[in-house]
Amino acid sequence: METKMSLQGIERTEWLHLRKTGLGGSDAGAVCGLNPYSSPLQVFYDKTSEEVQDKDSESMRQGRDLAEYVARRFMEETGKKVRRSNFMYRSEEYPFMLADVDRLVVGEDAGLECKTANAYNADKWKDGKIPASFCPPIKSTTINKQQVSTPHA
């Protein structure tokens, strides 16, 4: 079971505050030491400090912009339909665990995480393999909310 927290109409700053209240999928890879862009110590600081950091980069923006494309390609490839969730989920069994799913698969108890990679990282996705840095976030989201599919562009 999970508690649904509506994201409808909230500002980015409110969303960032909400993320500070638990560990999400992106945090899971960092806590496990598998995220090349963060560390367990950085996650600890982020979750325990009063400061809300709005880190953003061109790569992060492109990832958000391309999520819609990845979702459309997933639908074309599988014939399944997906939709935005507009909720963040908190596990009732493990209340420190949060899930912010990119899309939900219509008619299934499944989510879709839309990931992209640049040409320098394409080899990490070779032969359909998911890079180790993405495995804890997917498992975290799976435990917290539902089964998650992760296509990439």
Side-chain angles (χ1 to χ4, degrees):
M1 288 291 292
E2 74 282 334
T3 301
K4 293 165 88 172
M5 299 170 285
S6 178
L7 301 176
Q8 196 72 24
I10 72 167
E11 299 291 327
R12 182 169 173 78
T13 305
E14 292 177 78
W15 175 75
L16 291 168
H17 274 287
L18 195 55
R19 288 190 63 191
K20 286 180 72 76
T21 67
L23 295 176
S26 299
D27 302 319
V31 168
C32 293
L34 297 172
N35 184 331
Y37 307 106
S38 189
S39 69
L41 187 58
Q42 180 61 45
V43 171
F44 175 79
Y45 175 77
D46 178 51
K47 301 302 177 180
T48 59
S49 72
E50 294 296 319
E51 180 183 0
V52 175
Q53 296 182 4
D54 190 359
K55 294 182 250 173
D56 206 8
S57 67
E58 186 60 24
S59 293
M60 293 167 77
R61 180 178 176 199
Q62 288 176 14
R64 286 191 306 273
D65 291 348
L66 289 170
E68 184 62 35
Y69 170 77
V70 172
R72 281 196 318 268
R73 288 288 295 124
F74 174 82
M75 291 188 294
E76 289 172 12
E77 191 70 26
T78 65
K80 298 178 180 187
K81 292 186 180 188
V82 299
R83 65 172 179 80
R84 291 182 188 273
S85 166
N86 296 317
F87 287 96
M88 187 179 290
Y89 303 90
R90 179 182 305 279
S91 170
E92 290 181 6
E93 185 175 359
Y94 305 103
F96 64 90
M97 292 179 72
L98 301 173
D100 200 351
V101 183
D102 290 338
R103 301 288 189 279
L104 296 175
V105 180
V106 175
E108 295 183 25
D109 189 19
L112 173 68
E113 285 297 306
C114 302
K115 301 300 177 201
T116 59
N118 64 33
Y120 299 110
N121 290 316
D123 62 317
K124 294 179 177 96
W125 294 89
K126 191 173 182 177
D127 299 325
K129 293 182 182 172
I130 299 174
S133 62
F134 286 104
C135 291
I138 292 168
K139 286 183 169 73
S140 169
T141 304
T142 302
I143 290 167
N144 195 9
K145 173 63 184 131
Q146 54 206 337
Q147 173 187 334
V148 178
S149 301
T150 305
H152 56 279

